[in-house]
Amino acid sequence: MTNLRIPGPTPCPDFVLKEMSRQMINHRGPEFAQILNDVTGNLKKIFRTKNDVITLTASGTGGLEAAVVNMLSPGDKVLVISIGVFGDRFASIARTYGAEVIPLNFEWGKAADVKEIRKVLDNNPAVKAVLVTHNETSTGVTNDLEAISKVVKEFDKLLLIDAVSSMSSINLPVDDWNCDVVVSGSQKGWMVPPGLTMLSVSEKAWQANTQAKMPRFYFDIAKAKSNLEKGQTPWTPAISVVFAMDKALKIMIEEGLENIFARHIRIANMTRQGVKALGLSLFADEKYASNTVTSVSAPEALDVKKLLKLLREEHDIVLGGGQLHLSGKIFRIGHLGFVSEEDIKEVLNKLRIVLPQAGFEVTK
Ligand SMILES: *Cc1c(COP(=O)(O)O)cnc(C)c1O
């Protein structure tokens, strides 16, 4: 079997995939209502929230778009904290719908500096909401969301979070950290194929929703909420993915959230140590290095394209490259969701063989 080690889509266990082959059911019938209620209840346990959790049929970007259009009005000032590709994407979505974006960008590979966030909020009292990525998948950096949230809440702003590649894998207690809208996606740490995005919505966020004037139809979460009360969705959902999610959630609850986090920490540490033992260095500031994806700096001599090709064609291992200006400069190892020590050991062993073939002499 291919060792798919990209930061999403991630491999799915067979028992989850099997759910995908179930016969269709009436999405307005009692059987689906039961499943959707179970899924929603279990999602709340993983988000650790008493807030509503809405499941929409879309990839993670659809969830980010839903967060923007349901909370904001054209002309609203928003602070968008970006440390990479996905932070920039969140800003683009807000701009597309007419928000006035105040960008606060940090060097790729680094985490956001909370002091800078405070400064911008101090200077811009009209800011309505703060948009931030919890785990920046393009650079392998996890922001200190707890600290960021404290500052944002000092200023009493709405906090919208891209947690697509962290929720379910990295500690993010939604209620304890006062997060208003938190977005995730089924193909990341959830061991489920792409197709669903899940977002939690706080009381404060629902209040904002009543004032929000950005255009929306498919992603109208107020409609989703009123349908959810009947165990339904406004439009036909990706029923097969909901079956898979239902199964995956049950397995996750069984493993236990603390155990899942501990497994991700253990495997991430092992990945970072293994990479360094090969003589390579990490791209991310190690203090903030992600526990779901490791980004590795490519030394001058290393041909990243060739490395990824050799791994894929000769060893059936798929790693991620760098995005945009990081293309050729880094490669990324995904370790989220359905991942074990064995999967990473195999990657490290094969890297030891392939790195010299792609131009880099590893440490003996
Ligand atoms: C994967 C990802 C997304 C969403 O991407 P989709 O391809 O739309 O699912 C958004 N943010 C982050 C941080 C991600 O890792």
Side-chain angles (χ1 to χ4, degrees), residues 53-101:
V53 175
I54 306 283
T55 299
L56 304 172
T57 293
S59 77
T61 305
L64 298 179
E65 181 159 326
V68 168
V69 299
N70 282 283
M71 295 298 133
L72 300 170
S73 300
D76 276 350
K77 267 199 177 133
V78 296
L79 168 59
V80 185
I81 302 161
S82 176
I83 61 168
V85 170
F86 291 103
D88 288 355
R89 183 180 296 180
F90 217 175
S92 297
I93 297 169
R95 253 185 231 112
T96 299
Y97 283 96
E100 195 185 312
V101 171

mmCIF file of all heavy atoms in Angstrom, residues 53-101:
data_model
loop_
_atom_site.group_PDB
_atom_site.id
_atom_site.type_symbol
_atom_site.label_atom_id
_atom_site.label_comp_id
_atom_site.label_asym_id
_atom_site.label_seq_id
_atom_site.Cartn_x
_atom_site.Cartn_y
_atom_site.Cartn_z
ATOM 1 N N VAL A 53 -22.035 22.933 16.078
ATOM 2 C CA VAL A 53 -21.081 22.519 15.054
ATOM 3 C C VAL A 53 -21.880 22.179 13.800
ATOM 4 O O VAL A 53 -22.796 21.362 13.834
ATOM 5 C CB VAL A 53 -20.215 21.323 15.501
ATOM 6 C CG1 VAL A 53 -19.328 20.848 14.344
ATOM 7 C CG2 VAL A 53 -19.329 21.705 16.694
ATOM 8 N N ILE A 54 -21.535 22.872 12.727
ATOM 9 C CA ILE A 54 -22.242 22.742 11.451
ATOM 10 C C ILE A 54 -21.352 21.959 10.490
ATOM 11 O O ILE A 54 -20.156 22.242 10.381
ATOM 12 C CB ILE A 54 -22.509 24.145 10.846
ATOM 13 C CG1 ILE A 54 -23.236 25.054 11.827
ATOM 14 C CG2 ILE A 54 -23.208 24.036 9.497
ATOM 15 C CD1 ILE A 54 -24.698 24.806 11.987
ATOM 16 N N THR A 55 -21.932 20.972 9.822
ATOM 17 C CA THR A 55 -21.186 20.208 8.820
ATOM 18 C C THR A 55 -21.721 20.564 7.435
ATOM 19 O O THR A 55 -22.924 20.475 7.184
ATOM 20 C CB THR A 55 -21.348 18.697 9.087
ATOM 21 O OG1 THR A 55 -20.812 18.418 10.392
ATOM 22 C CG2 THR A 55 -20.587 17.870 8.068
ATOM 23 N N LEU A 56 -20.819 21.006 6.575
ATOM 24 C CA LEU A 56 -21.196 21.391 5.208
ATOM 25 C C LEU A 56 -20.478 20.486 4.219
ATOM 26 O O LEU A 56 -19.390 20.002 4.501
ATOM 27 C CB LEU A 56 -20.781 22.841 4.925
ATOM 28 C CG LEU A 56 -21.302 23.929 5.868
ATOM 29 C CD1 LEU A 56 -20.618 25.264 5.551
ATOM 30 C CD2 LEU A 56 -22.814 24.070 5.750
ATOM 31 N N THR A 57 -21.093 20.291 3.060
ATOM 32 C CA THR A 57 -20.436 19.529 2.004
ATOM 33 C C THR A 57 -19.533 20.474 1.212
ATOM 34 O O THR A 57 -20.014 21.334 0.481
ATOM 35 C CB THR A 57 -21.481 18.867 1.093
ATOM 36 O OG1 THR A 57 -22.169 17.857 1.853
ATOM 37 C CG2 THR A 57 -20.830 18.206 -0.115
ATOM 38 N N ALA A 58 -18.243 20.334 1.440
ATOM 39 C CA ALA A 58 -17.222 21.164 0.764
ATOM 40 C C ALA A 58 -15.868 20.733 1.293
ATOM 41 O O ALA A 58 -15.783 20.052 2.316
ATOM 42 C CB ALA A 58 -17.425 22.644 1.068
ATOM 43 N N SER A 59 -14.813 21.153 0.626
ATOM 44 C CA SER A 59 -13.480 20.970 1.211
ATOM 45 C C SER A 59 -13.252 22.094 2.219
ATOM 46 O O SER A 59 -14.129 22.945 2.422
ATOM 47 C CB SER A 59 -12.416 20.974 0.113
ATOM 48 O OG SER A 59 -12.164 22.290 -0.333
ATOM 49 N N GLY A 60 -12.107 22.095 2.854
ATOM 50 C CA GLY A 60 -11.826 23.074 3.911
ATOM 51 C C GLY A 60 -11.996 24.516 3.478
ATOM 52 O O GLY A 60 -12.498 25.353 4.242
ATOM 53 N N THR A 61 -11.627 24.818 2.253
ATOM 54 C CA THR A 61 -11.747 26.191 1.758
ATOM 55 C C THR A 61 -13.205 26.650 1.769
ATOM 56 O O THR A 61 -13.489 27.817 2.056
ATOM 57 C CB THR A 61 -11.160 26.286 0.325
ATOM 58 O OG1 THR A 61 -9.821 25.786 0.367
ATOM 59 C CG2 THR A 61 -11.141 27.719 -0.182
ATOM 60 N N GLY A 62 -14.120 25.733 1.496
ATOM 61 C CA GLY A 62 -15.545 26.061 1.585
ATOM 62 C C GLY A 62 -15.913 26.469 3.009
ATOM 63 O O GLY A 62 -16.704 27.387 3.215
ATOM 64 N N GLY A 63 -15.337 25.795 3.978
ATOM 65 C CA GLY A 63 -15.582 26.142 5.384
ATOM 66 C C GLY A 63 -15.044 27.530 5.710
ATOM 67 O O GLY A 63 -15.676 28.293 6.448
ATOM 68 N N LEU A 64 -13.873 27.851 5.163
ATOM 69 C CA LEU A 64 -13.301 29.188 5.391
ATOM 70 C C LEU A 64 -14.200 30.251 4.758
ATOM 71 O O LEU A 64 -14.451 31.306 5.352
ATOM 72 C CB LEU A 64 -11.891 29.282 4.800
ATOM 73 C CG LEU A 64 -10.838 28.323 5.382
ATOM 74 C CD1 LEU A 64 -9.492 28.527 4.685
ATOM 75 C CD2 LEU A 64 -10.691 28.522 6.890
ATOM 76 N N GLU A 65 -14.673 29.948 3.556
ATOM 77 C CA GLU A 65 -15.577 30.888 2.885
ATOM 78 C C GLU A 65 -16.858 31.068 3.710
ATOM 79 O O GLU A 65 -17.351 32.185 3.879
ATOM 80 C CB GLU A 65 -15.897 30.397 1.462
ATOM 81 C CG GLU A 65 -16.805 31.346 0.700
ATOM 82 C CD GLU A 65 -16.720 31.153 -0.824
ATOM 83 O OE1 GLU A 65 -15.629 30.835 -1.341
ATOM 84 O OE2 GLU A 65 -17.755 31.333 -1.475
ATOM 85 N N ALA A 66 -17.383 29.957 4.232
ATOM 86 C CA ALA A 66 -18.591 30.027 5.066
ATOM 87 C C ALA A 66 -18.343 30.909 6.289
ATOM 88 O O ALA A 66 -19.203 31.711 6.674
ATOM 89 C CB ALA A 66 -19.018 28.622 5.488
ATOM 90 N N ALA A 67 -17.162 30.778 6.900
ATOM 91 C CA ALA A 67 -16.842 31.584 8.081
ATOM 92 C C ALA A 67 -16.872 33.067 7.721
ATOM 93 O O ALA A 67 -17.404 33.897 8.463
ATOM 94 C CB ALA A 67 -15.471 31.198 8.635
ATOM 95 N N VAL A 68 -16.316 33.410 6.577
ATOM 96 C CA VAL A 68 -16.249 34.815 6.158
ATOM 97 C C VAL A 68 -17.640 35.345 5.834
ATOM 98 O O VAL A 68 -18.085 36.350 6.396
ATOM 99 C CB VAL A 68 -15.299 34.963 4.937
ATOM 100 C CG1 VAL A 68 -15.440 36.344 4.297
ATOM 101 C CG2 VAL A 68 -13.851 34.714 5.364
ATOM 102 N N VAL A 69 -18.357 34.677 4.926
ATOM 103 C CA VAL A 69 -19.611 35.266 4.418
ATOM 104 C C VAL A 69 -20.737 35.268 5.451
ATOM 105 O O VAL A 69 -21.670 36.067 5.344
ATOM 106 C CB VAL A 69 -20.103 34.588 3.115
ATOM 107 C CG1 VAL A 69 -19.069 34.737 2.016
ATOM 108 C CG2 VAL A 69 -20.471 33.130 3.335
ATOM 109 N N ASN A 70 -20.633 34.401 6.450
ATOM 110 C CA ASN A 70 -21.687 34.363 7.468
ATOM 111 C C ASN A 70 -21.434 35.294 8.645
ATOM 112 O O ASN A 70 -22.310 35.469 9.488
ATOM 113 C CB ASN A 70 -21.860 32.935 7.993
ATOM 114 C CG ASN A 70 -22.635 32.071 7.029
ATOM 115 O OD1 ASN A 70 -23.853 32.173 6.931
ATOM 116 N ND2 ASN A 70 -21.928 31.228 6.284
ATOM 117 N N MET A 71 -20.217 35.855 8.729
ATOM 118 C CA MET A 71 -19.873 36.679 9.882
ATOM 119 C C MET A 71 -19.687 38.149 9.542
ATOM 120 O O MET A 71 -19.708 38.994 10.420
ATOM 121 C CB MET A 71 -18.551 36.165 10.515
ATOM 122 C CG MET A 71 -18.663 34.779 11.103
ATOM 123 S SD MET A 71 -19.874 34.743 12.443
ATOM 124 C CE MET A 71 -20.803 33.282 11.996
ATOM 125 N N LEU A 72 -19.463 38.458 8.255
ATOM 126 C CA LEU A 72 -18.998 39.798 7.904
ATOM 127 C C LEU A 72 -19.897 40.477 6.881
ATOM 128 O O LEU A 72 -20.701 39.817 6.202
ATOM 129 C CB LEU A 72 -17.571 39.701 7.349
ATOM 130 C CG LEU A 72 -16.525 39.103 8.297
ATOM 131 C CD1 LEU A 72 -15.227 38.831 7.546
ATOM 132 C CD2 LEU A 72 -16.277 40.025 9.487
ATOM 133 N N SER A 73 -19.705 41.782 6.767
ATOM 134 C CA SER A 73 -20.392 42.576 5.752
ATOM 135 C C SER A 73 -19.336 43.237 4.882
ATOM 136 O O SER A 73 -18.226 43.505 5.341
ATOM 137 C CB SER A 73 -21.244 43.660 6.419
ATOM 138 O OG SER A 73 -22.200 43.069 7.271
ATOM 139 N N PRO A 74 -19.697 43.539 3.616
ATOM 140 C CA PRO A 74 -18.750 44.271 2.770
ATOM 141 C C PRO A 74 -18.357 45.573 3.476
ATOM 142 O O PRO A 74 -19.204 46.227 4.084
ATOM 143 C CB PRO A 74 -19.563 44.553 1.505
ATOM 144 C CG PRO A 74 -20.606 43.485 1.469
ATOM 145 C CD PRO A 74 -20.943 43.209 2.904
ATOM 146 N N GLY A 75 -17.077 45.898 3.412
ATOM 147 C CA GLY A 75 -16.595 47.120 4.060
ATOM 148 C C GLY A 75 -16.094 46.901 5.478
ATOM 149 O O GLY A 75 -15.416 47.764 6.035
ATOM 150 N N ASP A 76 -16.405 45.770 6.080
ATOM 151 C CA ASP A 76 -15.901 45.485 7.433
ATOM 152 C C ASP A 76 -14.378 45.420 7.420
ATOM 153 O O ASP A 76 -13.780 44.834 6.521
ATOM 154 C CB ASP A 76 -16.421 44.119 7.935
ATOM 155 C CG ASP A 76 -17.806 44.210 8.534
ATOM 156 O OD1 ASP A 76 -18.296 45.343 8.737
ATOM 157 O OD2 ASP A 76 -18.406 43.144 8.794
ATOM 158 N N LYS A 77 -13.795 45.995 8.453
ATOM 159 C CA LYS A 77 -12.339 45.889 8.617
ATOM 160 C C LYS A 77 -12.015 44.582 9.327
ATOM 161 O O LYS A 77 -12.596 44.285 10.376
ATOM 162 C CB LYS A 77 -11.843 47.035 9.501
ATOM 163 C CG LYS A 77 -11.392 48.233 8.727
ATOM 164 C CD LYS A 77 -10.503 49.127 9.577
ATOM 165 C CE LYS A 77 -10.043 50.255 8.703
ATOM 166 N NZ LYS A 77 -10.146 51.571 9.238
ATOM 167 N N VAL A 78 -11.095 43.812 8.750
ATOM 168 C CA VAL A 78 -10.667 42.581 9.406
ATOM 169 C C VAL A 78 -9.151 42.495 9.432
ATOM 170 O O VAL A 78 -8.490 42.897 8.478
ATOM 171 C CB VAL A 78 -11.243 41.306 8.725
ATOM 172 C CG1 VAL A 78 -12.753 41.274 8.827
ATOM 173 C CG2 VAL A 78 -10.826 41.203 7.264
ATOM 174 N N LEU A 79 -8.646 42.006 10.540
ATOM 175 C CA LEU A 79 -7.207 41.759 10.645
ATOM 176 C C LEU A 79 -6.964 40.305 10.263
ATOM 177 O O LEU A 79 -7.560 39.399 10.859
ATOM 178 C CB LEU A 79 -6.745 42.023 12.088
ATOM 179 C CG LEU A 79 -5.342 41.539 12.463
ATOM 180 C CD1 LEU A 79 -4.272 42.178 11.594
ATOM 181 C CD2 LEU A 79 -5.063 41.823 13.943
ATOM 182 N N VAL A 80 -6.136 40.094 9.243
ATOM 183 C CA VAL A 80 -5.821 38.720 8.845
ATOM 184 C C VAL A 80 -4.351 38.445 9.125
ATOM 185 O O VAL A 80 -3.457 39.056 8.539
ATOM 186 C CB VAL A 80 -6.137 38.439 7.364
ATOM 187 C CG1 VAL A 80 -5.912 36.963 7.058
ATOM 188 C CG2 VAL A 80 -7.575 38.822 7.025
ATOM 189 N N ILE A 81 -4.135 37.531 10.044
ATOM 190 C CA ILE A 81 -2.773 37.149 10.428
ATOM 191 C C ILE A 81 -2.351 36.005 9.518
ATOM 192 O O ILE A 81 -3.010 34.962 9.480
ATOM 193 C CB ILE A 81 -2.757 36.689 11.902
ATOM 194 C CG1 ILE A 81 -3.275 37.813 12.812
ATOM 195 C CG2 ILE A 81 -1.367 36.224 12.305
ATOM 196 C CD1 ILE A 81 -3.728 37.329 14.174
ATOM 197 N N SER A 82 -1.256 36.198 8.788
ATOM 198 C CA SER A 82 -0.838 35.149 7.863
ATOM 199 C C SER A 82 0.615 34.765 8.076
ATOM 200 O O SER A 82 1.497 35.613 8.184
ATOM 201 C CB SER A 82 -1.036 35.603 6.414
ATOM 202 O OG SER A 82 -0.544 34.595 5.541
ATOM 203 N N ILE A 83 0.836 33.459 8.113
ATOM 204 C CA ILE A 83 2.216 32.949 8.195
ATOM 205 C C ILE A 83 2.488 31.994 7.035
ATOM 206 O O ILE A 83 3.428 31.215 7.070
ATOM 207 C CB ILE A 83 2.501 32.283 9.568
ATOM 208 C CG1 ILE A 83 1.574 31.090 9.815
ATOM 209 C CG2 ILE A 83 2.377 33.294 10.704
ATOM 210 C CD1 ILE A 83 1.993 30.223 11.019
ATOM 211 N N GLY A 84 1.642 32.054 5.987
ATOM 212 C CA GLY A 84 1.881 31.178 4.840
ATOM 213 C C GLY A 84 0.719 31.150 3.869
ATOM 214 O O GLY A 84 -0.157 32.026 3.880
ATOM 215 N N VAL A 85 0.699 30.135 3.034
ATOM 216 C CA VAL A 85 -0.269 30.022 1.941
ATOM 217 C C VAL A 85 -1.717 30.096 2.440
ATOM 218 O O VAL A 85 -2.566 30.778 1.855
ATOM 219 C CB VAL A 85 -0.060 28.683 1.184
ATOM 220 C CG1 VAL A 85 -1.200 28.415 0.208
ATOM 221 C CG2 VAL A 85 1.279 28.681 0.461
ATOM 222 N N PHE A 86 -2.011 29.380 3.525
ATOM 223 C CA PHE A 86 -3.409 29.300 3.945
ATOM 224 C C PHE A 86 -3.880 30.565 4.643
ATOM 225 O O PHE A 86 -5.056 30.929 4.539
ATOM 226 C CB PHE A 86 -3.647 28.035 4.775
ATOM 227 C CG PHE A 86 -3.535 26.805 3.915
ATOM 228 C CD1 PHE A 86 -2.395 26.006 3.950
ATOM 229 C CD2 PHE A 86 -4.540 26.472 3.022
ATOM 230 C CE1 PHE A 86 -2.272 24.892 3.127
ATOM 231 C CE2 PHE A 86 -4.431 25.372 2.187
ATOM 232 C CZ PHE A 86 -3.293 24.577 2.242
ATOM 233 N N GLY A 87 -2.973 31.263 5.321
ATOM 234 C CA GLY A 87 -3.319 32.572 5.873
ATOM 235 C C GLY A 87 -3.640 33.546 4.750
ATOM 236 O O GLY A 87 -4.617 34.304 4.810
ATOM 237 N N ASP A 88 -2.815 33.499 3.693
ATOM 238 C CA ASP A 88 -3.053 34.368 2.533
ATOM 239 C C ASP A 88 -4.393 34.030 1.870
ATOM 240 O O ASP A 88 -5.097 34.911 1.396
ATOM 241 C CB ASP A 88 -1.918 34.219 1.505
ATOM 242 C CG ASP A 88 -0.619 34.861 1.989
ATOM 243 O OD1 ASP A 88 -0.621 35.496 3.071
ATOM 244 O OD2 ASP A 88 0.412 34.720 1.287
ATOM 245 N N ARG A 89 -4.724 32.740 1.844
ATOM 246 C CA ARG A 89 -5.994 32.334 1.233
ATOM 247 C C ARG A 89 -7.181 32.895 2.021
ATOM 248 O O ARG A 89 -8.155 33.372 1.433
ATOM 249 C CB ARG A 89 -6.089 30.803 1.163
ATOM 250 C CG ARG A 89 -7.360 30.332 0.459
ATOM 251 C CD ARG A 89 -7.474 28.816 0.392
ATOM 252 N NE ARG A 89 -6.416 28.214 -0.392
ATOM 253 C CZ ARG A 89 -6.285 26.896 -0.603
ATOM 254 N NH1 ARG A 89 -7.172 26.058 -0.074
ATOM 255 N NH2 ARG A 89 -5.303 26.423 -1.316
ATOM 256 N N PHE A 90 -7.088 32.849 3.333
ATOM 257 C CA PHE A 90 -8.160 33.377 4.195
ATOM 258 C C PHE A 90 -8.356 34.875 3.880
ATOM 259 O O PHE A 90 -9.486 35.357 3.742
ATOM 260 C CB PHE A 90 -7.767 33.179 5.669
ATOM 261 C CG PHE A 90 -8.905 32.812 6.597
ATOM 262 C CD1 PHE A 90 -8.633 32.501 7.946
ATOM 263 C CD2 PHE A 90 -10.226 32.765 6.164
ATOM 264 C CE1 PHE A 90 -9.660 32.159 8.824
ATOM 265 C CE2 PHE A 90 -11.258 32.424 7.051
ATOM 266 C CZ PHE A 90 -10.967 32.135 8.379
ATOM 267 N N ALA A 91 -7.240 35.586 3.712
ATOM 268 C CA ALA A 91 -7.301 37.016 3.376
ATOM 269 C C ALA A 91 -7.961 37.207 2.013
ATOM 270 O O ALA A 91 -8.799 38.103 1.840
ATOM 271 C CB ALA A 91 -5.897 37.620 3.389
ATOM 272 N N SER A 92 -7.600 36.371 1.036
ATOM 273 C CA SER A 92 -8.178 36.500 -0.312
ATOM 274 C C SER A 92 -9.681 36.307 -0.281
ATOM 275 O O SER A 92 -10.417 37.007 -0.985
ATOM 276 C CB SER A 92 -7.608 35.440 -1.259
ATOM 277 O OG SER A 92 -6.249 35.618 -1.423
ATOM 278 N N ILE A 93 -10.135 35.343 0.481
ATOM 279 C CA ILE A 93 -11.581 35.094 0.556
ATOM 280 C C ILE A 93 -12.277 36.337 1.109
ATOM 281 O O ILE A 93 -13.272 36.812 0.556
ATOM 282 C CB ILE A 93 -11.893 33.859 1.435
ATOM 283 C CG1 ILE A 93 -11.299 32.594 0.820
ATOM 284 C CG2 ILE A 93 -13.398 33.699 1.619
ATOM 285 C CD1 ILE A 93 -11.312 31.374 1.739
ATOM 286 N N ALA A 94 -11.730 36.876 2.204
ATOM 287 C CA ALA A 94 -12.341 38.062 2.827
ATOM 288 C C ALA A 94 -12.369 39.228 1.843
ATOM 289 O O ALA A 94 -13.385 39.916 1.705
ATOM 290 C CB ALA A 94 -11.576 38.434 4.098
ATOM 291 N N ARG A 95 -11.254 39.433 1.119
ATOM 292 C CA ARG A 95 -11.176 40.511 0.127
ATOM 293 C C ARG A 95 -12.183 40.302 -0.998
ATOM 294 O O ARG A 95 -12.841 41.233 -1.443
ATOM 295 C CB ARG A 95 -9.765 40.548 -0.465
ATOM 296 C CG ARG A 95 -8.957 41.733 0.022
ATOM 297 C CD ARG A 95 -7.608 41.811 -0.689
ATOM 298 N NE ARG A 95 -6.563 41.942 0.301
ATOM 299 C CZ ARG A 95 -5.657 41.025 0.584
ATOM 300 N NH1 ARG A 95 -5.632 39.875 -0.080
ATOM 301 N NH2 ARG A 95 -4.773 41.240 1.524
ATOM 302 N N THR A 96 -12.299 39.052 -1.444
ATOM 303 C CA THR A 96 -13.207 38.740 -2.555
ATOM 304 C C THR A 96 -14.628 39.182 -2.235
ATOM 305 O O THR A 96 -15.357 39.639 -3.106
ATOM 306 C CB THR A 96 -13.179 37.215 -2.833
ATOM 307 O OG1 THR A 96 -11.850 36.863 -3.206
ATOM 308 C CG2 THR A 96 -14.149 36.807 -3.924
ATOM 309 N N TYR A 97 -15.023 39.047 -0.980
ATOM 310 C CA TYR A 97 -16.384 39.407 -0.578
ATOM 311 C C TYR A 97 -16.488 40.843 -0.053
ATOM 312 O O TYR A 97 -17.482 41.216 0.537
ATOM 313 C CB TYR A 97 -16.913 38.407 0.452
ATOM 314 C CG TYR A 97 -17.343 37.108 -0.200
ATOM 315 C CD1 TYR A 97 -16.482 36.013 -0.245
ATOM 316 C CD2 TYR A 97 -18.589 36.984 -0.801
ATOM 317 C CE1 TYR A 97 -16.858 34.829 -0.861
ATOM 318 C CE2 TYR A 97 -18.978 35.813 -1.420
ATOM 319 C CZ TYR A 97 -18.108 34.742 -1.446
ATOM 320 O OH TYR A 97 -18.495 33.582 -2.066
ATOM 321 N N GLY A 98 -15.415 41.616 -0.243
ATOM 322 C CA GLY A 98 -15.528 43.050 0.036
ATOM 323 C C GLY A 98 -15.092 43.498 1.415
ATOM 324 O O GLY A 98 -15.302 44.657 1.779
ATOM 325 N N ALA A 99 -14.473 42.626 2.196
ATOM 326 C CA ALA A 99 -13.952 43.072 3.489
ATOM 327 C C ALA A 99 -12.715 43.930 3.247
ATOM 328 O O ALA A 99 -12.020 43.767 2.246
ATOM 329 C CB ALA A 99 -13.579 41.869 4.357
ATOM 330 N N GLU A 100 -12.466 44.849 4.170
ATOM 331 C CA GLU A 100 -11.253 45.651 4.100
ATOM 332 C C GLU A 100 -10.198 44.947 4.952
ATOM 333 O O GLU A 100 -10.262 44.982 6.178
ATOM 334 C CB GLU A 100 -11.549 47.055 4.631
ATOM 335 C CG GLU A 100 -10.478 48.057 4.278
ATOM 336 C CD GLU A 100 -10.742 49.399 4.917
ATOM 337 O OE1 GLU A 100 -11.896 49.897 4.820
ATOM 338 O OE2 GLU A 100 -9.821 49.938 5.542
ATOM 339 N N VAL A 101 -9.285 44.289 4.269
ATOM 340 C CA VAL A 101 -8.311 43.433 4.978
ATOM 341 C C VAL A 101 -7.102 44.239 5.428
ATOM 342 O O VAL A 101 -6.483 44.947 4.635
ATOM 343 C CB VAL A 101 -7.856 42.267 4.067
ATOM 344 C CG1 VAL A 101 -6.682 41.518 4.701
ATOM 345 C CG2 VAL A 101 -9.018 41.313 3.799
#
